[in-house]
Amino acid sequence: MDKTKLITTLYELSLLLYPRDVKDMVEEFIKNVMIRFGFSYAAIEIPLVNLKISLPKNSNDCPFNISFERRHFKIKFGRMKEIPPEYTKILEPLMDKLDQTLEFLILSELKRKLLENTEDVIIFVDKNMIVREMNKKAMELLGDLKGKPIDRMWLNENVRLNGRHFSVSVYDLGFLRGIIAKDITEKVLLERELKEREKRLRTIVEIAPFAILVYKDWKYIYANKEAEKLFGYKKEEIIGKHVLDIFPFDYHEKIADVIHKRLRDEALPPYVTKIIRKNGEIRYILVNGRKMKWGDDEAVVVAFIDITPQKLLEEDLSFLNSILRHDILNEITIIMNYLELYQEVGDKDFLEKIKESAKRVVGIINDVRNFEGAIKSEESTKIKLKNILSKIVKNFAHHNVEFRIKGDCTLTVNEGGLKIVINNIIENALRHSGMDKIDIEIRGSEEFCEIRIADYGKGIPDDLKKKIFEKGFKYGESANTGLGLYIVKKIIERMGGEVWIEDNHPRGSLFVLRLRKS
């Protein structure tokens, strides 16, 4: 083949490589190559479009062949006679153009399939917002707008159309703009539903008749109104607190273990613990919680139910039951024993002992009745201490003792319980001290009221000061039931206060009652 004819042949073959159906283009091209160069066999593989062509079909390989491999195809030509070596160099440029054309056609096909199969709306517009191309999804939504203008709203980040929500991205392609609109309706509706659920949840939480706290990363991030009432803090004081700050220190390890388990989503039953109010008061609490969605994150929602009255009632019932089973039963046993002895020997001294035991039974019953009256009367009222104490001391006028009351303080307290406490302390002082005056000083601070009751009697030894409030403790010949001061301590603790004893100067004992103002 002379040089002019070769150039013409190569040019004519190159004209066959233009964009069209891949199979048609390849078949026409290799047929013409076979004719022009005298090949009797050709085979091509194009993996990306899963195409294999053999010409002629099912023919056997020829003894002489030449092959080419490019990025998108492998091709082999064969013939019965020897192939000139220069054919490889001559055909190289055609093979390069075939590879380039295949790349364009394959990518175009992939692009077309991508555009048609995607769920996104894809539109190409010119600078005047005239639609130049749009995919199937766009046509389903907007109709065929090719060659027509489209609303400029599609240049916004968010578009709502026919009840659907779209997130829009716009790409500048030079002479065209590409608009890709992703349908986010389900996401928007889900987010809206989640916000509604959260709003309903927050409403329920806010009106719940018990305290609710929410914490994340070991910090409280929410508190309802009842939490403010229970803990004594304002909401803004609770938020930001460490989770463990509201619990007594000796409960921290237990609570931390519970929190770790909640964060691991372990199922936990409700449990009873203690909390510390802002004013230092300890309350018994039933706690339950779980990890859940809160806003955009996960947090732990915890409910606190104040069961202090029930716990105190349990303690009180246990206390009363122990008195019935132990103290009164002991005295009755003593009476029965003395009665048997009297019947045997007729000694009247035994009758006196029976009388003393009977008095102690009456005393125990009176102490228990007073205690029961105090714990039943849970209602607190605002009082001035000086007025109450002045009324109480009038009941002791027949004892020929001078009472001096100094100072005043206003607080909210169970008045009935306080009266029982003051009466018991004064009776104890009169029984043991053998003095002729009692001084009562009332002191007030920002948080507390103190009642300091001082006698000028014998005093109490240091080694007995801590024991004097223990149940059943008796001291001296004039000792009574051993319950009076124990009941004083129980009632004061029920009021969230404390009581202790000091030395009075120059002599005697000083009982100190400290109560919170509210």
Side-chain angles (χ1 to χ4, degrees):
M1 187 182 299
D2 61 42
K3 187 175 181 180
T4 301
K5 187 176 181 181
L6 177 60
I7 293 173
T8 302
T9 297
L10 292 175
Y11 174 72
E12 290 173 348
L13 288 173
S14 68
L15 293 177
L16 298 175
L17 299 175
Y18 63 88
R20 51 188 164 131
D21 180 78
V22 172
K23 187 173 182 295
D24 292 345
M25 182 194 72
V26 171
E27 281 189 343
E28 184 178 6
F29 174 73
I30 60 178
K31 282 179 182 178
N32 277 274
V33 171
M34 290 171 68
I35 293 169
R36 301 296 183 94
F37 288 89
F39 296 121
S40 54
Y41 168 78
I44 187 169
E45 292 183 22
I46 308 174
L48 285 177
V49 293
N50 197 28
L51 180 64
K52 292 182 179 180
I53 299 175
S54 294
L55 295 175
K57 291 181 180 180
N58 303 318
S59 66
N60 293 322
D61 209 351
C62 297
F64 300 98
N65 58 71
I66 183 174
S67 63
F68 302 90
E69 184 174 345
R70 294 294 186 271
R71 285 189 301 167
H72 299 98
F73 70 88
K74 292 179 181 179
I75 193 169
K76 181 167 67 173
F77 296 99
R79 68 180 190 172
M80 302 307 294
K81 60 181 180 177
E82 188 175 353
I83 301 174
E86 61 268 20
Y87 276 19
T88 299
K89 187 175 181 181
I90 291 170
L91 292 173
E92 286 283 358
L94 278 178
M95 297 302 113
D96 290 339
K97 185 172 183 182
L98 174 60
D99 192 52
Q100 293 168 5
T101 306
L102 284 174
E103 180 175 34
F104 176 80
L105 291 176
I106 291 169
L107 290 177
S108 296
E109 181 63 15
L110 290 174
K111 175 185 170 185
R112 185 190 65 79
K113 288 181 178 179
L114 180 63
L115 290 176
E116 294 308 318
N117 293 327
T118 182
E119 292 298 313
D120 295 339
V121 171
I122 301 177
I123 307 166
F124 295 95
V125 299
D126 63 19
K127 63 180 181 180
N128 297 316
M129 294 299 288
I130 304 299
V131 177
R132 296 306 177 191
E133 190 62 63
M134 58 196 310
N135 70 346
K136 181 180 178 182
K137 202 68 179 178
M139 288 189 179
E140 289 175 0
L141 179 70
L142 303 171
D144 190 352
L145 294 179
K146 290 179 183 177
K148 300 176 183 178
I150 190 174
D151 197 309
R152 298 188 72 86
M153 73 175 182
W154 289 99
L155 300 180
N156 298 326
E157 289 185 5
N158 294 288
V159 172
R160 185 176 180 184
L161 182 68
N162 300 334
R164 309 297 294 178
H165 297 265
F166 297 89
S167 174
V168 180
S169 299
V170 180
Y171 300 92
D172 190 348
L173 305 176
F175 60 94
L176 289 177
R177 281 178 179 167
I179 298 171
I180 301 177
K182 185 178 292 293
D183 191 332
I184 58 169
T185 305
E186 300 305 321
K187 179 184 176 183
V188 169
L189 295 178
L190 179 59
E191 288 176 351
R192 188 177 296 167
E193 175 62 20
L194 289 174
K195 286 181 180 178
E196 285 298 318
R197 287 183 186 177
E198 183 178 343
K199 184 178 178 181
R200 291 194 295 270
L201 173 62
R202 286 179 181 265
T203 301
I204 293 170
V205 165
E206 195 58 42
I207 65 173
F210 45 81
I212 295 179
L213 296 179
V214 180
Y215 64 82
K216 186 184 74 168
D217 299 329
W218 295 79
K219 299 284 185 181
Y220 291 111
I221 60 173
Y222 175 83
N224 69 350
K225 288 289 184 185
E226 289 298 319
E228 290 184 308
K229 293 179 184 177
L230 175 61
F231 295 99
Y233 294 98
K234 292 182 179 179
K235 190 177 295 188
E236 52 268 26
E237 292 178 300
I238 297 174
I239 294 171
K241 268 187 176 297
H242 192 279
V243 173
L244 298 178
D245 285 351
I246 62 172
F247 299 98
F249 179 77
D250 53 344
Y251 279 72
H252 283 191
E253 185 176 350
K254 173 187 174 182
I255 302 300
D257 181 59
V258 169
I259 290 172
H260 283 300
K261 288 178 179 177
R262 288 210 194 287
L263 293 174
R264 292 195 298 266
D265 258 345
E266 292 185 28
L268 294 171
Y271 64 95
V272 176
T273 185
K274 292 180 182 178
I275 58 100
I276 309 173
R277 301 188 75 239
K278 183 179 180 180
N279 62 12
E281 180 186 357
I282 300 292
R283 305 292 290 181
Y284 289 94
I285 303 296
L286 180 66
V287 183
N288 198 9
R290 61 172 293 179
K291 189 165 76 169
M292 63 186 298
K293 191 78 173 175
W294 187 268
D296 295 330
D297 297 308
E298 283 191 328
V300 177
V301 180
V302 186
F304 297 80
I305 300 176
D306 190 352
I307 60 168
T308 305
Q310 296 93 308
K311 290 292 291 183
L312 292 176
L313 181 59
E314 287 177 13
E315 293 176 3
D316 296 337
L317 289 174
S318 176
F319 165 61
L320 295 174
N321 189 42
S322 71
I323 291 174
L324 291 174
R325 286 187 295 103
H326 184 265
D327 297 75
I328 293 179
L329 182 60
N330 281 352
E331 292 298 334
I332 291 174
T333 301
I334 291 171
I335 290 172
M336 294 296 293
N337 289 336
Y338 281 138
L339 186 59
E340 287 180 8
L341 290 171
Y342 174 73
Q343 288 174 339
E344 289 178 8
V345 299
D347 188 342
K348 290 186 178 180
D349 286 343
F350 291 127
L351 291 178
E352 286 300 318
K353 293 184 182 298
I354 290 171
K355 186 178 179 180
E356 290 172 6
S357 288
K359 284 182 179 179
R360 283 195 292 272
V361 170
V362 173
I364 291 171
I365 291 172
N366 284 333
D367 285 338
V368 170
R369 182 180 61 193
N370 289 337
F371 179 68
E372 185 182 17
I375 64 174
K376 280 185 176 178
S377 176
E378 292 290 342
E379 185 176 350
S380 296
T381 54
K382 193 172 185 179
I383 61 170
K384 284 186 172 293
L385 281 176
K386 189 171 185 178
N387 292 341
I388 298 300
L389 292 170
S390 297
K391 292 177 183 178
I392 291 173
V393 299
K394 287 179 181 178
N395 297 328
F396 297 92
H398 60 286
H399 281 275
N400 197 28
V401 174
E402 180 188 359
F403 288 93
R404 295 183 297 190
I405 302 174
K406 177 184 176 183
D408 200 1
C409 189
T410 301
L411 78 165
T412 302
V413 72
N414 177 345
E415 185 177 338
L418 181 61
K419 286 179 178 178
I420 291 170
V421 166
I422 302 299
N423 273 309
N424 274 4
I425 290 176
I426 292 176
E427 286 176 357
N428 184 79
L430 293 173
R431 185 181 303 114
H432 293 284
S433 299
M435 58 358 184
D436 58 2
K437 67 177 179 179
I438 293 178
D439 288 336
I440 302 176
E441 182 183 1
I442 304 168
R443 296 179 182 178
S445 66
E446 187 176 343
E447 294 185 45
F448 301 98
C449 287
E450 273 190 8
I451 306 170
R452 304 172 68 84
I453 304 173
D455 64 50
Y456 295 86
K458 301 174 183 177
I460 299 172
D462 289 341
D463 60 332
L464 300 182
K465 284 187 174 69
K466 291 184 179 179
K467 297 180 180 180
I468 200 166
F469 294 105
E470 293 178 1
K471 177 177 174 289
F473 177 76
K474 299 176 184 179
Y475 172 66
E477 296 178 358
S478 56
N480 194 18
T481 65
L483 293 175
L485 292 180
Y486 176 71
I487 288 174
V488 165
K489 183 173 182 289
K490 293 280 287 184
I491 293 174
I492 289 296
E493 287 176 350
R494 285 288 295 268
M495 295 178 179
E498 53 186 329
V499 58
W500 67 90
I501 191 167
E502 300 175 358
D503 287 330
N504 189 30
H505 298 287
R507 62 190 177 88
S509 300
L510 175 64
F511 282 83
V512 183
L513 307 175
R514 177 177 287 174
L515 295 166
R516 295 187 181 277
K517 287 187 172 181
S518 59

